[in-house]
Amino acid sequence: MHPETLVRDHTIYACVMGSRAFGLATDGSDTDRRGVFLAPTPLFWRFDKPPTHVDGPREEQFSWELERFCELALRANPNILECLHSPLVEYADDTGRELLALREAFLSRQALETFTRYALGQRKKLEADVRSHGAPRWKHAMHLLRLLTSARDLLRTGRLTIDVGDQRAPLLEVKRGEVPWPEVESRMSRLAREAEEASHRSPLPAEPDRPRVEDFLIRVRRASALQPDPYDEGVQGVVDRRGVGKR
């Protein structure tokens, strides 16, 4: 099966991410689309397994197979968790809505490590740009501040908020290069420190609710296995001709 067919026929959830979801869009901003597809269970019985992710078919579109998406979300992957909290949902079927209802099950204090580890890696890249070119990539600096703010507030409140709200103007000033790099660095350090402090009294559990997520995945896989396989007509024809399985 062509990977794009899985996205076209089996998407359970689709949303807009990036600047438009964050409330940071300006003229000319791209529309980044993210989604989750459910590969039919019979495809996993073959030697060639379905892909864990698909790039496209539209520009700026990327989708994950449900199991891979859940695995990453349970690890508190920032990009994945944010997809589940996008304010711009374009599509959700019954399974997609059940996935959204599980959003809180993925959240835990592990977010401190994953968000800040990702932020540290990005900050090192920005510092390298400053050393090499005298200035960072300001757009990336803006998004790093946004991510650190999101991590701090998640650990403080137990809720992941995507839209930056009243922080839009200050963040866009950073994007335009209107804030000196030392001040941006100071903001990053302060936010990382505040996130660390918030983790000690966070309302979030220490670990995500893995059993609840696994139960959901098993139920979805089982329901899919009971459906006819629309991609197995050739095999079914052989089975019928040979009488295999006939009573």
Side-chain angles (χ1 to χ4, degrees):
M1 182 193 310
H2 197 283
E4 293 183 358
T5 301
L6 288 168
V7 175
R8 185 192 67 211
D9 296 344
H10 299 286
T11 289
I12 63 170
Y13 172 68
C15 66
V16 172
M17 287 302 300
S19 294
R20 298 193 183 280
F22 302 141
L24 292 168
T26 57
D27 293 342
S29 291
D30 293 331
T31 300
D32 299 319
R33 289 184 166 86
R34 299 292 180 264
V36 182
F37 62 90
L38 173 63
T41 299
L43 294 183
F44 292 91
W45 301 338
R46 305 178 182 186
F47 287 122
D48 294 326
K49 308 300 182 187
T52 59
H53 58 271
V54 176
D55 194 355
R58 303 166 71 176
E59 289 191 12
E60 308 298 335
Q61 181 181 14
F62 192 93
S63 301
W64 295 268
E65 206 283 323
L66 177 61
E67 184 171 342
R68 178 59 173 167
F69 186 86
C70 289
E71 288 175 349
L72 293 173
L74 285 168
R75 297 177 195 169
N77 180 290
N79 292 325
I80 300 295
L81 291 181
E82 289 183 337
C83 282
L84 283 173
H85 292 78
S86 173
L88 303 177
V89 175
E90 292 193 315
Y91 175 77
D93 64 7
D94 289 344
T95 305
R97 285 189 288 273
E98 189 171 357
L99 175 64
L100 287 176
L102 283 173
R103 285 186 296 193
E104 306 308 316
F106 294 104
L107 298 179
S108 72
R109 292 198 297 273
Q110 288 181 357
L112 174 67
E113 179 185 355
T114 55
F115 277 64
T116 56
R117 184 174 65 235
Y118 177 80
L120 179 61
Q122 294 302 305
R123 182 169 176 173
K124 287 181 177 178
K125 292 179 181 179
L126 293 172
E127 291 170 344
D129 287 338
V130 172
R131 290 193 298 270
S132 301
H133 309 294
R137 292 166 293 178
W138 291 111
K139 180 179 178 180
H140 291 196
M142 174 192 71
H143 281 298
L144 182 49
L145 285 170
R146 181 206 62 77
L147 181 70
L148 286 167
T149 301
S150 181
R152 180 200 62 186
D153 293 347
L154 168 61
L155 290 160
R156 281 179 174 177
T157 67
R159 298 187 302 275
L160 184 57
T161 302
I162 299 301
D163 193 293
V164 299
D166 60 7
Q167 290 300 303
R168 172 181 165 85
L171 286 170
L172 289 179
E173 287 178 355
V174 173
K175 180 182 179 182
R176 293 191 296 266
E178 297 172 359
V179 182
W181 172 242
E183 182 176 339
V184 173
E185 279 192 303
S186 177
R187 291 185 192 178
M188 290 176 179
S189 297
R190 174 177 55 81
L191 288 167
R193 184 172 61 253
E194 291 174 349
E196 172 71 31
E197 293 169 352
S199 69
H200 299 305
R201 53 184 181 277
S202 176
L204 291 173
E207 303 285 340
D209 193 343
R210 185 182 180 91
R212 184 179 169 198
V213 175
E214 189 169 52
D215 175 71
F216 160 70
L217 182 62
I218 290 172
R219 286 189 289 103
V220 169
R221 288 275 191 248
R222 182 179 293 121
S224 175
L226 296 175
Q227 298 298 315
D229 182 358
Y231 308 104
D232 203 24
E233 294 178 357
V235 174
Q236 188 60 49
V238 173
V239 171
D240 289 344
R241 288 195 299 273
R242 291 178 177 175
V244 177
K246 291 185 178 180
R247 297 181 182 276

